[in-house]
Amino acid sequence: MNRASSSRLSELPQRVESNRMSMVYATPQSKQSFGKLNIPKPQSVTSERRTSFFGSRGAGMARNSTFGGTEKMKDPRPLHDKAYVQQCIRQLCEFLSEKGFPGSMSVKSLQSPSTKEFLKIFEFIYCLVDPTFQMPTSKVEEEVPRILKDLGYPFVLSKSSMYSVGAPHTWPQVLGAVVWLMDTVKIFCCMSDQDLLFADFSDGSTEIEDGVAFNKLFLDYTAETYNKFMQGADTFDEEDADYLAKLKRLYNVDEGLLASMEEKYRMLSDEVERLEKESQTDRLMVKRTEKVKLQTDLQKLQSYRSNLESFKANLENKASGLAEELEASGLQVETLKQEESRLEHIFSTQKFTPADIERINWEKRELQQTINSLSKSLEQAEQHMWNEEIALAKAKETAEVKLAEYHKLARKLKLIPVSAENACGHDFEIRTSPEYGQSTMVQCRTQIQQLLRKLITDVDEECSRLTDMKLSLEESIEQVNSNISDKANDLKQLREQIRRLDEQLEQDMQDIAHEEQKWSAEMESVETHRKLLEKKVTLGYDESVEQLKAAQQQYHLVLQETNEERRTVVNNLASVLTTAANHLSIVEKFLEDQHKRVDRVYTEAFREDEVDIQKMKDIMESFITKVNSM
């Protein structure tokens, strides 16, 4: 009994999805991954579901061999989960690139493939199982579900889904079928690589004891699970765990290494997802957009900074003016204080008459009026200064608007920048600065007016040059028109000559017509003779064609009989070779096992049996030689 016997003989779906198949073949000797997806383990089914699919049955009752009920199996895979679909697409893309798919295939193209691309992928994957397979040209929508059903696909794939494979509502189901077929091909390739016919002798580095131990473990596990399956069990978690533990002990599996590899795989998967998300957006365009925004903000900040600096300079100028006024006012106050102290001293030392007091009061009132008038003058001066500042700000805004209009018009006329078409290397741009005065603006205006006058002069010269060229072209046109009138006169003369030649030609044609009538009479007699000859030739040709058809039919019959005989001989020879190879493998395995066991216990018996084994090998070689000669 070999490992192939562990596969399910029935094509019906399992009632409970399990991963026993992947655990059975998950030996450390096989480094090839079967591409199993991270599907969460489904919950254990209830007795109600078991009854609805397999028919009613009592608890602990022996399992019947016939199935009852026709309920369709529901796909437990999360095919409508976008993350799961992306995982399936990545695995399919890796599988196609690994197997050498002819053509370019990427994750992006597999998001919504066309029906033609799907048929190419399906044909390529199925050819890995059957190299002679060719996709039919008609009724593909019926052929693909039939092939999947023959392979044992447990879920229904509708015919209508083949008409629009890349649609969002049909692509997940079709992708699930393709992934199932991909996993089936991986298992098939793995089993083929293990060379089941000579499994224990194909690899020189594999010891026979390891193969025997694995076969014993596998057979014990199969027998135990099958007994429980026949008793009504659907899950075998304990048996699976026990079997895995025995396999790990047999092959010395390092749990720490497996855990580290899983962690590394998880980290790499996260990195791949992150890179795929980043690749979906054009990072260069995003960075360029950010750069343009930052440059715009920088220009705004620079302009705002220059405005602040100019405003700061104005404030500093005003502060310096106010400081000077404050110093002058302080000096005046000191002078007034000194005068007041002097007057107080005079007042204290002298005796005033009522007239003096009245005079002093009058002077005091005069001084108070002077102070009030000066205060009003100061307020009016400050108000005038504020109005002048507002007018200056408005004039500045008006100047900036006019300057912007000037720059806009200059750009339309292609005068800005210096490298513009009409700038001729001159700088027509006016730059604002708080340090500019009236003289600077006049100088800038004069310079630009001079450049513009020069440009207008150049344009006028160019216009005059083009006007002269236009006049010369008009003279040329008049000359051409006169030539055309001369040629028209020549054309009239030529037409008169052509009319005369036409009259001569008509006369010649009448003469030729008389001669043609004579020749037509002769041609009729020749045509009658030709028809008689053609009739005779046609009769002979028909007889030849009938003979050819009869010979072709006889050839096809002979060819068909020959092909049938050849196919029968090839099938018989293949069955004979297969039977002989199986028999030879069984005999060789048995002799090798006996030889190993006897060699460990009885060395002398091994020497005696060696002669017999050598004879058997000679017989086998001679038999193989005879088979090859056949």
Side-chain angles (χ1 to χ4, degrees), residues 602-615:
Y602 303 104
T603 306
E604 187 176 354
F606 170 74
R607 294 173 183 172
E608 294 176 359
D609 293 339
E610 188 176 7
V611 178
D612 296 334
I613 292 172
Q614 187 64 33
K615 290 181 180 179

Side-chain angles (χ1 to χ4, degrees), residues 516-576:
E516 284 182 353
Q517 289 178 358
K518 295 179 182 179
W519 286 106
S520 62
E522 295 180 0
M523 286 294 293
E524 287 178 358
S525 62
V526 173
E527 186 68 22
T528 304
H529 182 65
R530 183 183 64 80
K531 288 181 180 179
L532 293 174
L533 293 176
E534 283 183 354
K535 186 176 181 180
K536 294 179 181 179
V537 170
T538 303
L539 292 175
Y541 175 74
D542 292 336
E543 293 177 357
S544 301
V545 169
E546 290 178 357
Q547 292 177 0
L548 178 61
K549 288 182 179 179
Q552 287 179 351
Q553 291 178 356
Q554 186 177 2
Y555 169 74
H556 286 303
L557 291 174
V558 173
L559 181 62
Q560 187 175 2
E561 292 176 358
T562 305
N563 290 334
E564 290 293 335
E565 292 177 358
R566 183 182 299 169
R567 192 179 298 108
T568 304
V569 171
V570 170
N571 292 332
N572 294 335
L573 183 59
S575 62
V576 169

Side-chain angles (χ1 to χ4, degrees), residues 572-609:
N572 294 335
L573 183 59
S575 62
V576 169
L577 290 174
T578 304
T579 305
N582 291 331
H583 177 70
L584 288 175
S585 64
I586 294 170
V587 171
E588 186 177 359
K589 182 177 180 180
F590 176 77
L591 291 176
E592 290 292 335
D593 289 340
Q594 292 296 327
H595 176 66
K596 291 287 184 179
R597 293 170 184 171
V598 171
D599 188 24
R600 285 194 294 266
V601 181
Y602 303 104
T603 306
E604 187 176 354
F606 170 74
R607 294 173 183 172
E608 294 176 359
D609 293 339

